[in-house]
Amino acid sequence: MAKYDNNLIVIGGGSAGLIAALIAATVRARVTLIEKGAMGGDCLNTGCVPSKTLIRSAKIAHYQASAQRYGLQAATPQVDFPAVMRRVQQVIATIEPKDSMARYRELGVNCVAGTARLIDPHHVQVGDERFSTRSIVLATGAEPVVPPIPGLAEADPLTSDNLWGLERLPQRLLVMGGGPIGCELAQAFARLGACVTLIDMAPGLMPREDDDVSSFVERRLRAEGIDVRTGHRAVRVAASTDGSGVLHADSDGGEVEIGFDRVLVAVGRRANTEGLGLDALGISTRADGTLDVDAHLRTAVRNVYGCGDAAGPYQFTHMASHQAWYAAVNALFGRFRRFKVDYSVVPWVTFTDPEVARVGLSETEAAQQGIPVEVTRYELDDLDRALADGAASGWVKILTRPGSDRILGVSIVGAHAGELIAEYVLAMTHGIGLKKILGTIHVYPTLAEANKLAAGAWRRAHAPERLLRWVGRLHDLLR
Ligand SMILES: Cc1cc2nc3c(=O)[nH]c(=O)nc-3n(C[C@H](O)[C@H](O)[C@H](O)COP(=O)(O)OP(=O)(O)OC[C@H]3O[C@@H](n4cnc5c(N)ncnc54)[C@H](O)[C@@H]3O)c2cc1C
């Protein structure tokens, strides 16, 4: 039998690769993790962490500007943008040791800095060094797409990769792309004082969500002064050397011009699979660029696996680590037992204010897939804590199987929706229905109480009318 230096080589030290390597080291496999850039990947360096840190500063600015609603004198926020961006870097630096090579070496992972390329299914080259291995996990992530719109590249576009080095707040910021990243950043920059235009060629923002969610977010962004232009297809950019310019866009058959000082492109992210030597090995990619992996996350080369943004279909940190478990376990133990990735309960959150949280089916998806559902909606303007907090807009929408309390999907729009959704994720994962949520004590007054009240709304719609009529008659007799 062939002998290898490693049981597993993991390429990429982002959310997916770190977990894959950690699992391998935990089960005492010999594992090498290769990272060409900063450990922690997108999430720590250019994604979740910096964006949520920026959003926090923007929220504080928003509180300041809207303080009058709370009986305090409002003030125009004096934004020290370099200080905001320094705070972003400080938070990254505080978290960084958790993802560092030093920590992973302590945990038993052989960490190598450099760009990896597959020589054959069992050998990986990094610079002058060659490593042999029984299995490989590709966790090389994704990068922002800059569409080939004439003149755009000359405008020195910002993307989530280079945004965090920005030194001055652009006065006029054009955000291209009305998906979650575009909406989050458009709102944050507007709250920090930029004059923001958000364009998307789709008819609505956040196309993955139901229309009620999408139009709610659009109204909110408009109310905060963002010029939202849906149904606008970017055609060309006339750029100046300083990054400013004019975007020409098609709208309703006519051409409109939108001036900007900087343009931020957030139209999607494409898997990083170039330069890995995959073609020569017969490892194919799908039309969207993600690795063509099977339900066990295996590529066409049976000892090479893929996970995270490189494999898709979800581009979230929590999905990257969820998949990493399957990729690592299947790569190490697949000869004895293989596991199919479980995508049955996938949650995500868009960190606009208010937040938008989702798990499972939306109404649109249920209709498209011909799945009958019953919809229960609870409005947050009924929730005591939301009223006290001045955050009484939004709702909890629950999709159940008709005639049953089994949850098929939940959308929450509201303050801390990302925290509230956790209860439904747990419930759906473990087959807990709405009756059990209703039977659980929720602390008063909390936002989480919305979940119980939503379950109560479902219960009222399913009250046992015949039994209640009978009990009513019994009380009449007993009076
Ligand atoms: C602005 C923004 C905000 C986001 N916010 C959220 C959020 O709030 N919540 C959420 O869940 N997700 C969020 N995401 C998505 C999240 O960041 C990604 O889903 C996650 O980081 C994917 O992890 P990954 O390990 O697959 O890839 P990555 O983190 O990209 O890691 C891949 C690593 O592989 C390395 N690599 C690539 N090729 C090679 C090679 N040949 N050799 C060696 N190393 C290589 C790269 O340098 C990189 O470090 C956000 C993303 C962005 C851009």
Side-chain angles (χ1 to χ4, degrees):
M1 200 157 70
K3 283 279 175 200
Y4 304 107
D5 303 331
N6 292 278
N7 300 96
L8 187 67
I9 287 184
V10 178
I11 304 181
S15 310
L18 290 175
I19 297 297
L22 179 65
I23 287 164
T26 306
V27 298
R28 310 285 167 86
R30 188 170 290 182
V31 53
T32 293
L33 172 67
I34 305 164
E35 169 54 55
K36 69 175 180 182
M39 288 283 278
D42 266 0
C43 180
L44 174 62
N45 300 290
T46 58
C48 328
V49 172
S51 61
K52 269 75 252 181
T53 309
L54 184 83
I55 285 169
R56 184 69 184 150
S57 291
K59 193 169 197 171
I60 304 289
H62 180 70
Y63 281 152
Q64 211 179 355
S66 53
Q68 217 156 8
R69 289 180 60 210
Y70 301 90
L72 307 169
Q73 198 167 28
T76 306
Q78 300 299 309
V79 177
D80 180 348
F81 189 69
V84 169
M85 295 307 253
R86 272 200 304 280
R87 181 171 172 272
V88 168
Q89 294 307 325
Q90 276 159 10
V91 173
I92 293 174
T94 308
I95 298 174
E96 187 272 333
K98 284 199 254 179
D99 292 354
S100 65
M101 288 202 175
R103 172 161 179 253
Y104 273 77
R105 284 187 182 121
E106 263 173 39
L107 293 168
V109 178
N110 175 36
C111 297
V112 174
T115 301
R117 194 165 60 85
L118 274 64
I119 300 301
D120 63 42
H122 294 284
H123 291 90
V124 174
Q125 188 82 24
V126 184
D128 298 336
E129 267 189 289
R130 189 168 286 198
F131 300 85
S132 69
T133 180
R134 177 163 290 286
S135 299
I136 296 172
V137 168
L138 302 171
T140 49
E143 63 184 10
V145 172
V146 177
I149 294 166
L152 181 58
E154 288 71 47
D156 188 19
L158 296 165
T159 66
S160 58
D161 271 0
N162 61 7
L163 176 67
W164 313 108
L166 197 63
E167 286 169 358
R168 270 188 307 130
L169 180 72
Q171 255 186 3
R172 294 175 307 157
L173 178 69
L174 171 64
V175 179
M176 287 175 64
I181 295 176
C183 288
E184 287 181 6
L185 293 175
Q187 187 179 41
F189 274 92
R191 287 178 164 193
L192 291 171
C195 188
V196 177
T197 305
L198 174 63
I199 81 155
D200 199 299
M201 60 186 190
L205 301 176
M206 297 186 18
R208 232 171 160 168
E209 308 299 340
D210 281 336
D211 286 348
D212 53 357
V213 176
S214 162
S215 52
F216 177 95
V217 172
E218 184 169 332
R219 278 197 309 278
R220 176 53 75 102
L221 296 187
R222 282 188 200 282
E224 293 193 15
I226 297 170
D227 181 5
V228 180
R229 310 272 192 109
T230 49
H232 279 58
R233 193 174 58 83
V235 179
R236 68 195 156 88
V237 172
S240 309
T241 43
D242 60 355
S244 69
V246 177
L247 174 87
H248 296 256
D250 248 1
S251 166
D252 274 338
E255 192 171 284
V256 293
E257 293 182 6
I258 303 167
F260 60 85
D261 295 322
R262 293 304 301 265
V263 54
L264 169 63
V265 180
V267 297
R269 292 162 58 244
R270 194 173 171 86
N272 284 322
T273 54
E274 299 289 310
L276 285 163
L278 302 186
D279 287 348
L281 267 65
I283 296 176
S284 52
T285 52
R286 305 188 185 104
D288 66 358
T290 54
L291 293 164
D292 197 359
V293 290
D294 65 13
H296 302 101
L297 297 179
R298 210 159 48 155
T299 66
V301 174
R302 304 327 248 168
N303 67 319
V304 179
Y305 292 74
C307 58
D309 283 6
Y314 299 97
Q315 291 184 324
F316 303 117
T317 288
H318 46 278
M319 278 312 287
S321 42
H322 178 71
Q323 285 183 326
W325 184 91
Y326 290 91
V329 168
N330 288 339
L332 292 169
F333 302 111
R335 59 177 54 200
F336 310 112
R337 184 162 174 206
R338 279 200 306 272
F339 297 87
K340 285 187 182 169
V341 194
D342 182 359
Y343 293 122
S344 56
V345 182
V346 179
W348 62 83
V349 177
T350 301
F351 294 88
T352 45
D353 182 15
E355 293 174 359
V356 173
R358 247 292 284 293
V359 58
L361 282 179
S362 68
E363 271 188 276
T364 315
E365 286 169 357
Q368 282 164 352
Q369 295 169 31
I371 299 172
V373 293
E374 197 179 312
V375 179
T376 303
R377 215 175 135 110
Y378 174 75
E379 301 293 333
L380 294 182
D381 61 7
D382 176 68
L383 185 69
D384 294 0
R385 178 56 188 270
L387 288 160
D389 282 359
S393 57
W395 59 84
V396 176
K397 181 164 70 174
I398 308 173
L399 274 55
T400 43
R401 218 173 46 198
S404 148
D405 73 336
R406 190 169 149 228
I407 306 164
L408 298 178
V410 180
S411 303
I412 307 179
V413 177
H416 299 289
E419 313 294 332
L420 301 195
I421 201 82
E423 186 167 7
Y424 294 110
V425 179
L426 181 78
M428 288 178 71
T429 306
H430 298 288
I432 295 168
L434 289 180
K435 288 181 203 158
K436 289 208 168 118
I437 290 184
L438 185 60
T440 304
I441 299 174
H442 288 63
V443 174
Y444 179 86
T446 57
L447 295 176
E449 217 194 351
N451 293 343
K452 184 180 169 102
L453 293 168
W458 176 88
R459 179 75 269 190
R460 276 195 302 285
H462 293 85
E465 280 307 327
R466 276 180 55 192
L467 177 66
L468 289 175
R469 272 199 301 277
W470 187 87
V471 175
R473 280 203 291 275
L474 178 68
H475 286 310
D476 290 344
L477 284 174
L478 294 178
R479 266 200 303 277

